Amino acid sequence: MSKTDTSEKGLERLICADLVASGWLAGNAQDYDREYTVDLAQLRAFLRATQPHAAESLDLDQDSPSRRKFLARLQGEIAKRGVIDVLRTGIKHGPHTLDLFYGTPSPGNPIAADRYAQNRFTVTRQLKYSRMKCSSRWISVSFSTGYPLPPSS
């Protein structure tokens, strides 16, 4: 009989594996942009799948002025309104009104169910989050559409 790994690393591995088995996506710590506090790969994938015209105009594949302006705007809205409000209500950026999350669908609403299925819930292990202290890490982080979710209280 094998021993259970009860170390912090073992618990982290167990939690992340359980979330992935439940349908969450495994994130990659290298995709996290510490300057804008976003998993850029997940945000880009969500916007491409749900709002391709807007995603193209935001130039998320390049470190361009368009991308930096959008990410700064998004970061500013989160600082002002909070992650949950921005996810629930989206943001307006230039000519685009961007949805960043689709809520739980009501029974019998296939359009809402399809949209909800496009949300990207991810868990990322060993994420370096501080721009100042590169050794600062979160053990694991939950994301929705590329943005870290606050812990439940």
Side-chain angles (χ1 to χ4, degrees), residues 20-93:
V20 169
S22 298
W24 286 54
L25 302 169
N28 183 336
Q30 278 73 32
D31 293 334
Y32 184 72
D33 185 313
R34 290 186 279 176
E35 182 176 353
Y36 294 107
T37 63
V38 62
D39 182 327
L40 193 54
Q42 297 301 327
L43 176 63
R44 184 174 34 232
F46 175 80
L47 290 174
R48 278 189 185 143
T50 62
Q51 299 148 92
H53 178 69
E56 185 178 325
S57 74
L58 297 172
D59 199 21
L60 296 175
D61 289 325
Q62 307 299 320
D63 185 17
S64 65
S66 296
R67 180 175 94 173
R68 287 191 301 272
K69 186 175 179 182
F70 167 66
L71 293 176
R73 164 79 179 186
L74 193 49
Q75 183 182 46
E77 288 296 310
I78 287 173
K80 184 171 35 173
R81 297 172 20 212
V83 172
I84 300 301
D85 186 60
V86 169
L87 288 174
R88 282 185 182 155
T89 61
I91 67 163
K92 182 150 178 54
H93 180 71

